[in-house]
């Protein structure tokens, strides 16, 4: 299934990327994301939702989490705005091409997944659209799993983190007004180097909870000690 009605390959303002291969509208390099491991995210998700649940994954990319979840018995509907990303998702997985904030499948899911820190979109209207999409698609007895930024993530720069066979280096996080930061990241692997620049809006716990409430969601529990992973429920 594909929805291209509101999809564009144009770069989003404030987002950019460099390196070999296709670059998506939000500055992500497809070839680089193929090299990033899923880490412990599939474990966190599996422990937080019913076995065999139908998951709507928003911003699936190349299937970094899609494939481990499918391997664990979940049915995944994978959404991304980039055709180049979706081309890397297994053909057995149902995919939908659409900007997340405009998605309306007319369906409800056991679980809606909004990972990759997408909730910190620089544009507050986009962020609210993401959360409204989560609420629109989650079953009344279902849940929404959201991945947040860690504490002090914009203050502890520069920093380096090993990622698979490579290295991710957050070079800078620069305030650009209205509570938004422009973040510049470099990725180095044995076979290539990529960069990404993107906008991120830090959210206090109060701001995060208020944004959820405005979309008809409430926090049920934090799933990890660092409070990065959150499980939310519809408010009614």
């Amino acid at each position: 299934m594909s929805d291209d009605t509101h999809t564009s390959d144009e770069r989003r303002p404030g987002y950019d990327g460099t390196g070999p291969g296709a670059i998506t509208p939000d500055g992500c390099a497809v070839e680089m994301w193929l090299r990033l491991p899923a880490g412990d995210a599939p474990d966190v998700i599996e422990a937080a939702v019913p076995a065999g649940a139908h998951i709507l994954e928003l911003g699936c990319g190349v299937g970094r989490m899609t494939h481990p979840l499918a391997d664990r018995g979940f049915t995944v509907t994978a959404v991304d705005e980039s055709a180049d990303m979706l081309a890397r998702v297994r053909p057995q997985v149902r995919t939908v091409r659409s900007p997340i904030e405009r998605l309306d499948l007319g369906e409800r899911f056991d679980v809606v997944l909004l990972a990759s820190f997408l909730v910190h979109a620089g544009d507050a209207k986009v962020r609210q659209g993401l959360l409204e999409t989560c609420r629109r698609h989650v079953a009344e007895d279902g849940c929404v799993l959201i991945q947040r930024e860690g504490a002090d993530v914009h203050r502890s720069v520069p920093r380096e983190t090993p990622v698979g066979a490579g290295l991710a280096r957050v070079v800078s996080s620069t305030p650009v007004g209205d509570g938004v930061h422009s973040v510049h990241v470099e990725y180095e692997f044995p076979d290539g180097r990529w960069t990404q620049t993107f906008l991120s809006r830090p959210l206090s716990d109060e701001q995060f909870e208020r944004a959820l409430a405005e979309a008809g969601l409430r926090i049920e529990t934090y799933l990890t000690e660092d409070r990065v992973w959150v499980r939310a429920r519809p408010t009614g």
Side-chain angles (χ1 to χ4, degrees):
M1 177 178 180
S2 177
D3 175 6
D4 297 331
T5 304
H6 301 291
T7 303
S8 172
D9 292 322
E10 293 183 6
R11 199 67 46 83
R12 291 180 180 239
Y15 295 74
D16 202 2
T18 66
I23 306 293
T24 68
D26 61 355
C28 289
V30 175
E31 294 299 323
M32 186 275 295
W33 278 93
L34 286 168
R35 290 158 174 77
L36 292 185
D40 64 356
D43 297 330
V44 173
I45 296 165
E46 183 178 29
V49 304
H54 193 169
I55 299 175
L56 177 64
E57 184 186 2
L58 302 176
C60 67
V62 296
R64 187 171 60 102
M65 285 189 284
T66 315
H67 300 149
L69 292 173
D71 289 342
R72 298 176 190 216
F74 295 104
T75 300
V76 183
T77 294
V79 178
D80 205 277
E81 68 178 342
S82 168
D84 292 304
M85 288 286 197
L86 290 176
R88 305 305 184 109
V89 177
R90 295 175 189 166
Q92 297 87 348
V93 174
R94 177 194 181 196
T95 60
V96 180
R97 186 186 180 203
S98 173
I100 297 168
E101 65 271 26
R102 299 176 186 172
L103 182 72
D104 191 352
L105 296 176
E107 302 174 42
R108 300 286 184 131
F109 297 79
D110 303 319
V111 180
V112 178
L113 176 61
L114 185 68
S116 300
F117 315 111
L118 293 174
V119 74
H120 293 277
D123 187 330
K125 290 183 179 179
V126 169
R127 181 205 54 219
Q128 205 60 22
L130 303 181
L131 293 173
E132 289 171 359
T133 293
C134 292
R135 178 63 183 90
R136 185 162 55 245
H137 290 88
V138 67
E140 292 305 319
D141 60 348
C143 66
V144 178
L145 301 189
I146 301 171
Q147 186 181 24
R148 304 174 64 200
E149 291 178 342
D152 298 327
V153 68
H154 294 284
R155 287 193 285 269
S156 59
V157 292
R159 65 179 182 274
E160 294 183 349
T161 306
V163 284
L167 184 72
R169 181 181 300 110
V170 182
V171 177
S172 61
S173 178
T174 306
V176 292
D178 191 32
V180 178
H181 288 230
S182 177
V183 182
H184 183 70
V185 186
E186 297 175 350
Y187 298 91
E188 292 187 6
F189 287 80
D191 58 345
R193 181 180 182 276
W194 292 266
T195 72
Q196 184 183 13
T197 301
F198 60 92
L199 300 179
S200 177
R201 181 181 293 273
L203 297 171
S204 66
D205 287 350
E206 181 181 359
Q207 290 170 325
F208 178 64
E209 291 173 12
R210 184 166 60 247
L212 290 181
E214 290 173 355
L217 298 167
R218 60 174 176 82
I219 295 174
E220 179 183 53
T221 187
Y222 288 93
L223 301 171
T224 52
E225 290 186 8
D226 59 10
R227 298 166 71 88
V228 166
W229 282 96
V230 180
R231 184 170 63 208
R233 298 280 185 182
T235 55

